Amino acid sequence: MPSEIQLPRLGWSMEEGRFLGWLVRPGERVAAGQPLFTVEGDKATQDVEASASGRLVPAPDAPAEGETVAVGRVLGWLLADGEAAPTPANPGTPIAPAEPARADATAPVPPSLASPAAPISPVHAFPASPRARRAARARGVDLASLSPSGTAGRIRERDVLAATPAPRAHPQSRARTDWREEPLSPARRTIAARLSHGHPRPVPVTLNLRCDASRLVALRMAFKVRAATDPAEPAPTLNDILVHLVGIALGQHPVLTASWAGDHLRFPRVIHVGFAVDTPDGLRVPVLRDVCNTPLKELAAQARAMAGAARSGRLAPADTEGACFTVTNLGALGIESFTPVVNPPESAILGVGAVVREAVPLEDGGFAALDRMTLSLTFDHRVLDGAPAARFLQSLRSLIEHPPVQPPPSPSHP
Amino acid sequence: MDKRSPLALYRSMLLIRAVEERLALSHQQGLVHGACHTYVGQESVAAGVCAQLADADAVFSTHRGHGHALAKGMQPLRLVAELYGREAGCSGGRGGSMHLFEPAIGMMGTSGIVGPCILQAVGAAYAFRLARLPHVGVAFFGDGAVNNGAFHEGLNMAAIWKLPVLFVCENNQFATEVPFASVAGNPSVAARGAAYRIPSFEIDGNDALAVEQAAREAVEAARLGNGPTLLECRTYRTRPHAEGMGDFTYRTREEVERWKALCPIARLRQHLLDLGMATGPDLDAMAAMAAAEAEAAHVAAVASPFPLASSALAHVLAPASATPPEPQPPTRPARTLSFMKATHEALAEAMARDPRIFVLGEGIGQRGGNFATTSGLHAIHGPERLRDTPICERGFVGLACGAAMAGARPVVDFMFADFLLDAVGEILNQVAKMHYMSSGRLRMPVLLRGCIGIGHSAATHHSGSYYSMYAHFPGLRVAVPSSPADAMGLLRTALAGDDPVLFLEHRELLNIKGPVPEGSHALPFGKAAVVREGSHVTVVALALMVHRALHACSVLAEEGISVELIDPRTVAPLDLQTILASVAKTGRLLVVDEDFAHCGIGAEIAAGVANAGFDDLDAPIRRLNGAASPTPYSPTLESALVPDADAIARAIRDLCAE
């Protein structure tokens, strides 16, 4: 009798998996126990062994390599000599469900009762109307970050608009619609679902890292000296230089720019970075455009103009749109480290602490006085894990400690 | 050769026999895809009757109609190819054996349902009378049909108006496989005709010469204006009801053999030989020629291609060129007219212009209509064009169908839509399908107008809406106007078009007044009106509900809710585009419909919007309908059924709050 090959359930919560390919050529004979195909589940990638001996005949509608399919899907058969593949192929004999008693899966589970072993809840806590979904897609708003305001408990278009009140008239803000979408891997989906259980919103985690800011401070000083002699060359602020370096680091770690879109990740094609400005009316976050490709001098000019506009209340709404990452700096106020709050739909924000001169032990047993500062990165754990976030911070530290910025020429003395 | 001569009859009968025998064989060979009811044994009736007819005379036939078609002059290829489902078939493959159409030679169709052909022949006769043409309508039907209401309604109307029609009952003694004697209170069909004071004759249907003589006298009488005749031709089909069916469960082999011995062809042959009108070899040669002609038709039919699948939807409705262009803005200022006056003006104007238009209905003659729809027109156009009918909705709708097939433009004024349910078979099976079944050759400008709607304690037989039901069927247009101007514009279009139209007027709106443009403004079907513009929610309403919704809109405007109100005006075709455009703006849709919700037009609109406007929706589509109940009489009960302005406002508020 033909032996069915089905996509196995590798873990109790696995509903689908990604078929990564056969390990045996179609038509070839395999022995029971021989690795037959590879599947990526929500936790791991695994080679699946043949459950019987026979000749491999993939199903006519077998998934392509890389395709995500439901658990239980018939992938093919192992046939004894003289046997023919049965038809039709799918659906196969049911594989037992993950939880036998799931008849009332739609019934709400009180959050207090939710344990790590409980079934994964939907990513969205609230349903959204089709129109709201479209608006959220267009504006890059994460529906999971919204609450419904109507009587039906459904997120409506107006709820999405309220989350992004500014009209988009500024031509530069067109960059926001320019996204690349990336499907979630089963693993990412599972992680996100687990993390957001009872938290259908960003799952913030903050990492702190101290770095040596001596060269940064020296660089800044060199710019200031030059500015003193040449008013046409105003000095970039420490923050300007940091944003410039952040742009480089983001280019190396684009996952920090991704945003959560429910069933996929969304990557901007151009990296715009917001920077927090304290104004008499409260916090404003103007956005610097295309930081990876904008020279430091221009970036500084942009930032100067925008900070000025922000402080005088003249910031255009479009100037605050389109960022995929934010830098906030409380160093001027003496704060050494803090927990910045992610600005949805962004997934990460960098907090910059004060530059503090402190004694640092040297390898030879002595101490040196160094200018140090603390970087605090808050990121959405649904989008990325701790290690990649840490690697981003390491890259940034390395950029800060060895800034790839040409210092201005020393002023010439007559 | 005179086609009434015995030799011509003989040749006609031989051809029918040869083609039927070829088709019986083809049926066994699988070339005939559907039913095949042969005419073997009855050839004398078709030959004897059709010998009296010119191309302009209209024949309406039955499921057993191959013989009628051939005797009326259809080319054997056109018949055989139709049964083979080929392009060369007389209905282009749309009809098969039971829908054989060749209007150019007066073959107005065989029919899978037999009673209606009686009414259609009466209708064609009416059209000929109206046009002062000397033609006759002929209905062939079996003994089974004489127990059907259509027979009685048709005979009665033909009798009272002395119409030029010939009723030919081919009494072959079995209604399908039920012996006529067992289902007839009076087994004499001719006696039934006499009951309507129609000259009626019982003749030996297997005697071609007797049939020829009786038919000749009947047709001459009809052409002379002496009214209808009923011929009961006693005959017998010697093959089964349909090819491939068993034959001896309801009759005996001996009985069939006895009738085979009475073969009308053999009988006429003997007559020709006896009188020396032909020699045996002559007659044998004629038979051989007929067989050769049948075989040639078969060969050509097999060679004809099947129709293209892509043409399957052609001819559901008349070509679009028949619909009027977009309305031009009126040049002169509007007048104020009542709904009733507006439609009256459109009808009066059309009747003055087009003599093919006539009105049928109860009390629409001198009385001028229950709702003054034809007031004063009888005095202008006389009783033939303003025809008071007996109370037989099925009968006069069937008459209207036949009249349209013969070139007239009937208007059926049925008073209340509830009454029209008696005629639903004629409307849906005949009127709506005729253009298609004739592969686009017959135009069906049948205008069916009357009242719908709840109000005035009219109770349940004078208050239904029904537009959703009719809108379900292809081949019909359904207009449900809400204002005098729309009513006038849509009625003009209906009167000028070539498709059947149900024009449904809400009784509670007949006396409302409104501005009506001067000039002959016509409104296209399938173009909705944006009655009121708004931004928060789209409301779609028809007829009376438009007015109630408007009232609700005013109340809600004060609350800051901006409603866009759309009146589709016609539900078939339905202008979904205007609704979608509005929903794209508002994101919310409420359909207010006096008709029942279940399977109603509201469901159709909701499905269309969910399908094509899904991403525009910010809330579920809601419906507010009349309650699912027969209409009660008492005012408190009656008003509980229909959405009022408060209920509409409430529904809009709730939808906007979601």
Side-chain angles (χ1 to χ4, degrees):
Chain A
M1 196 181 144
S3 170
E4 257 181 5
I5 306 165
Q6 290 175 291
L7 192 91
R9 191 187 299 284
L10 299 179
W12 60 268
S13 66
M14 179 172 158
E15 299 298 342
E16 54 182 23
R18 189 188 283 185
F19 175 75
L20 294 181
W22 297 107
L23 299 171
V24 174
R25 271 194 297 280
E28 219 169 272
R29 290 192 57 82
V30 293
Q34 187 182 334
L36 189 58
F37 62 98
T38 309
V39 63
E40 183 191 355
D42 50 5
K43 284 190 182 131
T45 298
Q46 188 173 318
D47 291 346
V48 180
E49 295 170 352
S51 57
S53 300
R55 183 167 49 85
L56 170 63
V57 175
D61 60 347
E65 289 186 5
E67 196 179 326
T68 299
V69 294
V71 165
R73 164 87 170 257
V74 173
L75 308 172
W77 299 273
L78 294 171
L79 302 181
D81 288 335
E83 270 182 351
T87 54
N90 276 304
T93 46
I95 284 190
E99 307 100 44
R102 220 179 161 184
D104 196 14
T106 53
V109 180
S112 57
L113 298 181
S115 70
I120 292 165
S121 68
V123 172
H124 297 307
F126 302 107
S129 76
R131 196 180 181 95
R133 288 173 186 278
R134 182 177 61 186
R137 281 196 300 274
R139 289 165 182 259
V141 172
D142 180 5
L143 285 170
S145 68
L146 302 182
S147 303
S149 60
T151 58
R154 186 183 303 109
I155 296 168
R156 307 173 297 175
E157 185 190 37
R158 68 189 72 171
D159 302 323
V160 176
L161 301 187
T164 52
R168 40 203 47 257
H170 200 286
Q172 285 187 327
S173 68
R174 299 308 308 155
R176 169 164 298 197
T177 59
D178 196 11
W179 298 98
R180 174 177 67 81
E181 294 185 352
E182 185 176 297
L184 297 179
S185 66
R188 172 90 357 240
R189 199 188 293 273
T190 302
I191 290 170
R194 293 248 173 86
L195 290 172
S196 57
H197 182 63
H199 281 278
R201 305 197 170 189
V203 180
V205 177
T206 304
L207 307 180
N208 294 306
L209 184 68
R210 281 167 92 68
C211 59
D212 177 4
S214 307
R215 288 194 172 83
L216 197 63
V217 170
L219 187 64
R220 157 89 172 138
M221 190 55 68
F223 280 116
K224 276 176 89 169
V225 167
R226 210 260 303 255
T229 58
D230 183 356
E233 293 284 349
T237 64
L238 203 58
N239 210 57
D240 296 340
I241 303 170
L242 271 169
V243 170
H244 177 67
L245 300 177
V246 161
I248 297 170
L250 288 175
Q252 296 164 358
H253 302 268
V255 70
L256 275 293
T257 68
S259 63
W260 181 254
D263 57 353
H264 60 273
L265 294 181
R266 193 191 299 260
F267 288 79
R269 298 197 191 275
V270 182
I271 295 175
H272 308 308
V273 173
F275 68 105
V277 178
D278 178 36
T279 78
D281 293 331
L283 177 70
R284 291 288 181 276
V285 187
V287 177
L288 299 174
R289 301 291 159 186
D290 196 6
V291 295
C292 296
N293 298 305
T294 306
L296 175 60
K297 186 177 157 182
E298 268 176 49
L299 207 62
Q302 255 188 46
R304 206 161 31 247
M306 284 200 178
R311 291 195 184 95
S312 57
R314 287 180 290 104
L315 207 56
D319 292 335
T320 63
E321 290 182 352
C324 58
F325 189 89
T326 297
V327 175
T328 176
N329 190 337
L330 289 176
L333 300 175
I335 302 300
E336 294 185 17
S337 83
F338 59 104
T339 309
V341 177
V342 172
N343 215 352
E346 296 162 34
S347 298
I349 182 168
L350 179 71
V352 181
V355 175
V356 180
R357 174 153 297 209
E358 54 191 19
V360 177
L362 297 175
E363 280 182 9
D364 63 5
F367 289 87
L370 293 180
D371 285 327
R372 304 238 291 171
M373 73 180 180
T374 303
L375 303 174
S376 306
L377 177 78
T378 302
F379 64 95
D380 182 352
H381 205 324
R382 292 176 307 171
V383 177
L384 70 159
D385 298 330
R391 283 192 282 273
F392 165 77
L393 270 185
Q394 283 178 336
S395 294
L396 184 60
R397 178 175 68 180
S398 152
L399 288 164
I400 288 168
E401 293 180 348
H402 305 280
V405 177
Q406 190 66 39
S410 302
S412 53
H413 294 282
Chain B
M1 187 182 358
D2 182 349
K3 60 180 183 174
R4 290 176 294 187
S5 71
L7 264 180
L9 295 180
Y10 188 67
R11 191 165 67 187
S12 172
M13 290 161 70
L14 282 175
L15 181 63
I16 296 171
R17 176 69 59 91
V19 171
E20 292 290 41
E21 285 177 346
R22 173 65 246 186
L23 286 171
L25 179 60
S26 298
H27 187 271
Q28 286 177 14
Q29 293 171 338
L31 288 166
V32 177
H33 307 280
C36 181
H37 308 94
T38 66
Y39 195 62
V40 172
Q42 307 181 200
E43 295 90 343
S44 42
V45 181
V49 171
C50 291
Q52 316 305 323
L53 305 178
D55 283 352
D57 297 313
V59 161
F60 299 82
S61 163
T62 71
H63 58 291
R64 196 173 307 288
H66 306 167
H68 308 137
L70 292 168
K72 192 73 175 57
M74 184 181 285
Q75 293 302 313
L77 166 63
R78 301 276 285 162
L79 168 66
V80 175
E82 185 60 31
L83 269 82
Y84 292 4
R86 309 303 172 106
E87 214 168 67
C90 62
S91 302
R94 280 175 167 66
S97 168
M98 290 185 279
H99 307 276
L100 303 169
F101 284 86
E102 201 78 285
I105 58 158
M107 185 61 207
M108 305 304 257
T110 57
S111 176
I113 300 170
V114 180
C117 67
I118 299 171
L119 301 170
Q120 289 159 15
V122 173
Y126 199 97
F128 297 148
R129 165 73 57 79
L130 195 68
R132 306 278 175 259
L133 294 169
H135 313 321
V136 299
V138 178
F140 287 99
F141 51 92
D143 46 277
V146 308
N147 286 332
N148 188 283
F151 171 83
H152 297 274
E153 297 183 16
L155 259 65
N156 186 47
M157 289 189 295
I160 54 180
W161 301 321
K162 278 192 157 321
L163 296 174
V165 55
L166 176 57
F167 300 106
V168 183
C169 175
E170 297 177 288
N171 184 352
N172 68 11
Q173 307 176 40
F174 295 95
T176 59
E177 290 158 350
V178 177
F180 180 58
S182 72
V183 291
N186 178 350
S188 166
V189 175
R192 298 184 189 205
Y196 293 100
R197 296 196 178 166
I198 290 178
S200 303
F201 305 96
E202 187 184 309
I203 50 182
D204 180 349
N206 282 21
D207 180 349
L209 300 178
V211 173
E212 190 279 323
Q213 188 188 343
R216 186 184 336 146
E217 287 167 12
V219 168
E220 276 167 10
R223 292 200 207 279
L224 287 170
N226 293 334
T229 301
L230 169 64
L231 301 182
E232 179 187 1
C233 304
R234 295 285 179 100
T235 183
Y236 198 89
R237 60 168 165 77
T238 51
R239 294 188 69 86
H241 170 68
E243 288 308 297
M245 286 171 74
D247 209 20
F248 302 115
T249 50
Y250 63 98
R251 61 185 188 180
T252 63
R253 205 177 288 274
E254 293 69 33
E255 182 181 302
V256 175
E257 290 306 321
R258 205 161 53 241
W259 276 95
K260 277 185 181 170
L262 299 172
C263 171
I265 294 176
R267 189 161 158 186
L268 183 54
R269 178 186 170 97
Q270 194 55 52
H271 177 83
L272 292 166
L273 293 174
D274 289 351
L275 293 186
M277 294 174 79
T279 64
D282 288 346
L283 299 180
D284 291 343
M286 282 172 76
M289 272 179 61
E293 209 177 331
E295 193 57 27
H298 157 74
V299 170
V302 168
S304 169
F306 283 98
L308 292 176
S310 58
S311 70
L313 294 185
H315 309 308
V316 175
L317 288 166
S321 60
T323 58
E326 288 284 314
Q328 299 300 314
T331 48
R332 277 175 288 173
R335 306 160 282 156
T336 296
L337 282 185
S338 74
F339 193 108
M340 234 152 49
K341 287 256 191 251
T343 58
H344 186 280
E345 194 174 301
L347 177 64
E349 196 184 84
M351 288 193 76
R353 201 182 49 240
D354 190 340
R356 296 171 298 171
I357 297 175
F358 71 104
V359 186
L360 289 165
E362 292 145 14
I364 56 83
Q366 221 155 4
R367 182 188 171 212
N370 196 49
F371 299 108
T373 47
T374 54
S375 169
L377 296 177
H378 183 270
I380 302 169
H381 300 296
E384 259 173 25
R385 296 187 66 196
L386 279 303
R387 180 56 80 188
D388 272 329
T389 60
I391 298 183
C392 59
E393 275 72 15
R394 178 181 180 191
F396 59 78
V397 170
L399 184 156
C401 178
M405 293 165 78
R409 303 181 69 87
V411 176
V412 176
D413 189 331
F414 51 75
M415 223 181 312
F416 287 96
D418 310 85
F419 303 168
L420 199 59
L421 295 184
D422 274 15
V424 160
E426 302 303 320
I427 297 172
L428 302 184
N429 261 327
Q430 307 295 329
V431 173
K433 295 177 180 173
M434 202 60 80
H435 181 67
Y436 186 85
M437 299 315 300
S438 68
S439 56
R441 287 165 295 174
L442 292 173
R443 297 291 158 91
M444 297 301 295
V446 179
L447 173 54
L448 300 151
R449 75 173 297 192
C451 280
I452 56 166
I454 298 177
H456 280 84
S457 288
T460 203
H461 285 165
H462 298 71
S463 62
S465 281
Y466 307 109
Y467 44 78
S468 294
M469 179 186 95
Y470 292 111
H472 179 69
F473 293 92
L476 293 176
R477 296 180 182 273
V478 185
V480 194
S482 69
S483 72
D486 288 356
M488 182 188 253
L490 291 170
L491 192 61
R492 280 209 179 97
T493 301
L495 286 163
D498 282 333
D499 288 316
V501 176
L502 274 127
F503 190 85
L504 303 173
E505 301 153 281
H506 200 292
R507 191 193 166 185
E508 300 298 294
L509 297 179
L510 293 183
N511 292 319
I512 63 155
K513 292 190 168 149
V516 170
E518 287 282 1
S520 55
H521 95 292
L523 285 175
F525 290 140
K527 185 86 194 84
V530 180
V531 179
R532 181 189 171 114
E533 290 193 8
S535 57
H536 295 149
V537 56
T538 301
V539 173
V540 174
L542 291 159
L544 179 64
M545 292 300 109
V546 173
H547 297 265
R548 295 200 173 162
L550 259 178
H551 187 70
C553 292
S554 313
V555 173
L556 292 167
E558 289 168 20
E559 300 171 19
I561 296 177
S562 166
V563 181
E564 181 143 303
L565 178 59
I566 292 178
D567 174 4
R569 303 195 285 204
T570 60
V571 291
L574 176 68
D575 178 6
L576 202 57
Q577 287 314 312
T578 298
I579 298 169
L580 283 168
S582 178
V583 172
K585 185 163 70 166
T586 63
R588 286 173 153 67
L589 174 62
L590 171 70
V591 183
V592 184
D593 178 10
E594 183 177 323
D595 200 1
F596 310 125
H598 193 80
C599 296
I601 191 67
E604 180 58 31
I605 293 169
V609 170
N611 177 51
F614 183 71
D615 284 332
D616 290 324
L617 288 169
D618 208 14
I621 300 165
R622 298 286 183 212
R623 288 186 290 166
L624 182 63
N625 282 80
S629 162
T631 312
Y633 165 77
S634 175
T636 55
L637 301 175
E638 179 190 63
S639 59
L641 253 59
V642 191
D644 60 11
D646 283 347
I648 296 170
R650 218 162 32 240
I652 296 171
R653 259 186 228 112
D654 289 349
L655 178 54
C656 287
E658 273 199 20

